[in-house]
Amino acid sequence: MKTDELAYLDWLARVDALRTQLAQWAAQPVDWEPLRPAQALIQRLLSRMEPLRVRWEAPLVVATFGGTGTGKSSLVNALVGEDVSKAGKERPTTVRPIVLAHVDVDLSTLQLPLDRVDVVRSDLPLLRDIVLIDCPDPDTTETESESTNLGRLHELLPFCDVLLYVSTQQKYRSAKVGEELGKAAESCRLVFVQTHADCDADIRDDWRRQLEPTYQIAEMFFVDSRRALAEQREGLHPSGDFGRLMTFLSRELAATRRAGVRKANLLELLDQGLRRGIDLVTPALGALDDLEDAVVRERRKLGAKMAENFGRELLACRTLWERRLLAQVTQSWGMSPFAGLLRMYQAQVMVLSTWWLFRSRSTAQMALWGAWQGAKWLGERQSLQAEEERLSRLTDFGIDPAEFRSAQVTLAGYVHAAQFHRDSASDERLDGEAAVAAAFLNEASQKLNRLVDRAASRNSGWWTRLRYEALFLIFPAFLIYRIGRNYFYDSFWLDKPLLDLNFYIPSALFLFLWGAAFLWRFVTRLRRGVQSEIQELTRSLSESAAWDELFRPLSVRCRRARDQVAQLQSLETTVQALRQSLEDDSRLGGRHARV
Amino acid sequence: MGNGGVVLADLAGLVRQLHCALVELQRETACLSLESLSNSEWFEILERKLLPQLGEDAWLVVAVTGGTNIGKSVVFNHLAGFRASATSPLASGTRHPVCLAPTGFETRHDLATIFPGFSVQPWTSADDALKDGERDFLFWRTSPQVPENLLLLDTPDIDSDAPVNWRRADAIRQAADVLIAVLTQQKYNDAAVKQFFRKAAEDDAAVIVVFNQCELPEDEAYWPLWCRTFCDETGLKPEWIYVAPNDRKRAEALTLPFYERHVPDASDLRSTIDRHPNAGEGPLPPPSLQETLSRLRFEEIKLRTLRGALLHLAGPKGAEAYLAEIRLASGEYRSAAELLTAQRLAEVDHWPTPPTSLLIKSIQEWWAQQRAGWPGMVHALYNTVGDWLMAPVRSVNTWLSGPTEPPWAAYQRAEWNAVVRTVEKVFERLEWLSQLGHELLRRHLEPVLAGTARGDFLERLAREHGEVDFSRELERLVGAELETFRRENPNYFQFFQRLDAAAAAARPGLTVALSLTGIGLPFGEAATHLASHAVWQTALHVVGDVAGGTMAAAIGDTAISSTAASGVAYLQARFHRLQAAFTTSRVAWLAERMERNLLGPTTEHLARAVAAPQTPAFQQVEASLKEIRGALERSGCALREDLLSTGEDGHAETANLNHSESLRG
């Protein structure tokens, strides 16, 4: 008993937790439109859950359900053994629902609309555990309103726990009744009864075949209500299937089974509601996929474009290239005649390129120029806030504003089709491109540094250096020899005159030409192979991770919407698990749990 | 009666004409996305009843109808006199109609045209009708039991969970003249049953009610009540009523008695059936239902049901409703089109001006073409020499500053930027329009607004933009504009020509002067060439800057009107006009592309939909309908709102012409 109670409390706690989760899900802010109807549905579901929770311990409400003329009232009369509900031959007979309750039962706990039903009190033992309702039919009404039988039936169904589904040979395949049963069975257990056993053939097998795809059926009864009523009146226990039905009802609907029935009903309701919520959202997921794909596609397109522009600009910045490469080489070579020559040339190029940097700036130049100046320049640029300026700034990063805007226009179409809230979409349209630029520049600088290192080290090995130094020294050495010999030997010993300007001016000219030739040769050598490396660099940059930052807010919103759908699905799984964990030895029917 | 028959037969041609026009109209108004005609009751009646039956000699289609598992097939088998249709205690057995025809009927008539839409198959066994499947079959056989000129049909149910059965039953109902409504205590007031027979009442079909599975004698007190409810709910007035007991054994043995009963309210009686002499005098001897069929007044019923069908067709719930629907839908489209066209989709601003240097170049080229005689030769010579001299300078400059982009690239980029900005605005506007709440407009705009459509449009636009030859465009414009200038202001033109000639004269003079001062050729020549270019450029650059501003138009106007205006002011105005004309032509280019590639299909669709009520097919339908209505009125059938003719005058006629005598079996 103690364990039972604990298990029951545990179950209640799980239901409460589920309820809280559902409430949280339904109350969270969403900006993806298709989620809104699902949220509204869950809200309604929560309000439907409430009465089920409140009347947890009250007697089960058992109602008749079936087409007109199938003998619902006769069945009720036969069950209680007296004429409480008028059975007739004019259709429909029952217009006002009749509620049969035990004298001791407090009907107020059931929250029934007591002003619109007739209440009959009785002290029958059967009614100690249940409240019986004779409901109107669902199939004589063409257009539903409050004053029609279908309207009255719909009003009562939310309060019912078990339906006695009554049918006949004529009506067991009626489309209208079947459709209404589908709706009613969402939160009710079912008992299947074929009446008119006195005059109709037994169609239970065919009936079962029709119902089995949708419902789980343990028992089906084939009863003769008229004979049962007569037997009851004579004080006999009804014979045949009717007797079996009465035993079945008193066993399955006993007080100890209440919780089980209501649990099953509650979970059924939740399961159906969540499924429908998921069904509401699912068709819209396609547009969400499209949007995400489009974001990736546009990113890639812009990235490729930007990398391409970047590569083109790199190739155009010849002077800067030379400077970087020369700086790298001289740094590793230290002091020597040829290195000195390189240094001199580099200093002169430096002046030129500084001037160029101030004249026109581009990402490629920036990357070549180096991180320190680049960061300063970037910070300066980022302080501009207006949209137009931000757009024009894109040009500096190698993105054509028109290119970017085209992507935006296209994406706006996908955003529109995916039914995202438009306002917030336009707010964040240009966000993040500064981060993209920074990330891109960073990555490009690093890759360029590596590229320059590689190119420089390839051309500054000791053998190369030795050759260049040695060959370059030939002419200066010759000059020094010539001047030295003239000064120390010829003029001292042979009294020849010292060399005059006519010697030095051509010598300087030839030295200059000699140096220039070597410089030209060496710089050409440095540049060799760099072009193909730049193309390779462009390719790798077009697949850079930096592009993931483009249109980031859109991706975030997509992911959030997806998460919210996933939450709904996981709630559904929880309900399914709870349904399966429900140990049910009940023989009552109901809808199949959907898999 | 005979007269009425003749008129109806005459209508056959008109009805065929109407049908053709309707089919044509449906095809033409596909753009309105209305519901298919074959879903509307009146059109089904036109196709299933009027087309096959109008103008033919009279035969009656009698159909046994009702809910599932209430003994339709039992009643049918009793009428047939043998087990023509399988019966079973399980519901929804009969899937396809079964037709019994009098011997020799098939030689005179084609059953496939009488029952269009059905695949007509000869009957082989009672189980034929139980076949599953989507295809609509109709099984038939001849039977000597069936009265001459009568087709007897068993139909699928109208209320089970197999909607395909309802559809087939509806199709037979639409073709039928007489319905044998099989009802039971459980089903006489069911929603599905009431809906089915209400439609039959609207077409004025003759109905024989059979209350089956009654518990006699206690139900004798109830059937009048059931009948009253059924008639009140459906609006039917049964010709005859039978009551059959619930006796499964006799039903199986085909010996079920059908007791003839009076219609409860005598005023509801109709006179299309000759009364049985023993009617209402107790259950014995039970007259056969079959006999009743043979007592039907064929021609009269035929006339009545055809007339009912025609009244339905010509009445407010018939083709007229379809025309009204088209008008309404077309009106909706009109309002959508108005909404779309009333909106200015985008203001074009920040459109780039064409590069001044290129504009000047093309003016120069044009001017060069206008030069004639010696000044032209002098200028051409000097320009060629100048260009040749400047060539090394230019190449050095190119080497120093890296490769330069082609002259129009910058403009093209700027213009593309403006194009995309405009497209963006247009899409924003369209999105706003789509969300205005005009459902129809929304439906048409949504596909245009989708991401893929936008991407495709932009891609196509980009491709077309890339193919534009700007310099030719400019050349054409400059040519046209300056030509107008020359035509309209010959004085100014001459003035400029004289100036130009003077310059041509001065050029050799300058050369001589330069060589005298020692600077000499070729540097002096290059310098003058550069200088002359620079003068043009600066002069027109200033003009260009002014022209780019908003004040240019005003300045231009005064320049043209003022006689004191200097040549430069005049040039400024012309120049501004050139730039504006170029921009206008570019904007027009964009507008044309948008019209064609973006909104074209939508506006075209809207226009077609708006014009639907003006199409010949529409007017043909209207005219045919009017004629049919006129003919019906002439024949004495007043068109009534409720489509139920009391047939007062028809009855008066039939009293005199009792054809049924000859039809008695």
Side-chain angles (χ1 to χ4, degrees), chain B residues 398-416:
Chain B
T398 311
W399 184 81
L400 271 179
S401 56
T404 50
E405 50 181 5
W408 279 100
Y411 174 77
Q412 187 166 11
R413 225 177 19 246
E415 189 186 282
W416 177 241

Side-chain angles (χ1 to χ4, degrees), chain A residues 313-366:
Chain A
E313 279 175 24
L314 272 184
L315 288 175
C317 309
R318 209 173 42 218
T319 335
L320 280 169
W321 267 114
E322 290 171 5
R323 183 203 147 260
R324 279 294 304 271
L325 286 168
L326 285 173
Q328 197 68 30
V329 173
T330 47
Q331 213 174 346
S332 66
W333 279 3
M335 223 23 231
S336 70
F338 187 65
L341 178 76
L342 291 180
R343 237 173 264 258
M344 267 164 60
Y345 175 67
Q346 188 210 341
Q348 175 252 328
V349 172
M350 182 94 156
V351 175
L352 256 177
S353 58
T354 315
W355 169 75
W356 197 0
L357 182 76
F358 282 102
R359 194 171 140 239
S360 70
R361 295 154 166 173
S362 73
T363 330
Q365 290 159 358
M366 235 34 257

Side-chain angles (χ1 to χ4, degrees), chain B residues 57-125:
Chain B
D57 40 330
W59 77 83
L60 282 194
V61 179
V62 179
V64 182
T65 52
T68 179
N69 229 7
I70 54 171
K72 285 188 304 298
S73 296
V74 169
V75 173
F76 178 70
N77 290 345
H78 277 77
L79 286 170
F82 70 106
R83 200 165 163 275
S85 201
T87 55
S88 129
L90 302 183
S92 184
T94 308
R95 293 288 176 143
H96 302 277
V98 176
C99 174
L100 290 184
T103 324
F105 187 88
E106 77 279 8
T107 57
R108 281 170 280 138
H109 303 279
D110 178 18
L111 279 169
T113 34
I114 297 177
F115 298 105
F118 283 99
S119 160
V120 175
Q121 307 270 325
W123 184 94
T124 51
S125 83

Side-chain angles (χ1 to χ4, degrees), chain B residues 571-606:
Chain B
L571 263 183
Q572 282 177 352
R574 291 305 315 182
F575 192 81
H576 168 67
R577 256 186 69 170
L578 268 176
Q579 277 187 320
F582 185 76
T583 307
T584 312
S585 96
R586 296 307 303 147
V587 171
W589 175 88
L590 174 63
E592 196 256 329
R593 291 299 182 289
M594 274 203 192
E595 177 62 38
R596 200 178 60 200
N597 299 343
L598 185 69
L599 290 170
T602 311
T603 44
E604 214 172 277
H605 190 145
L606 290 180

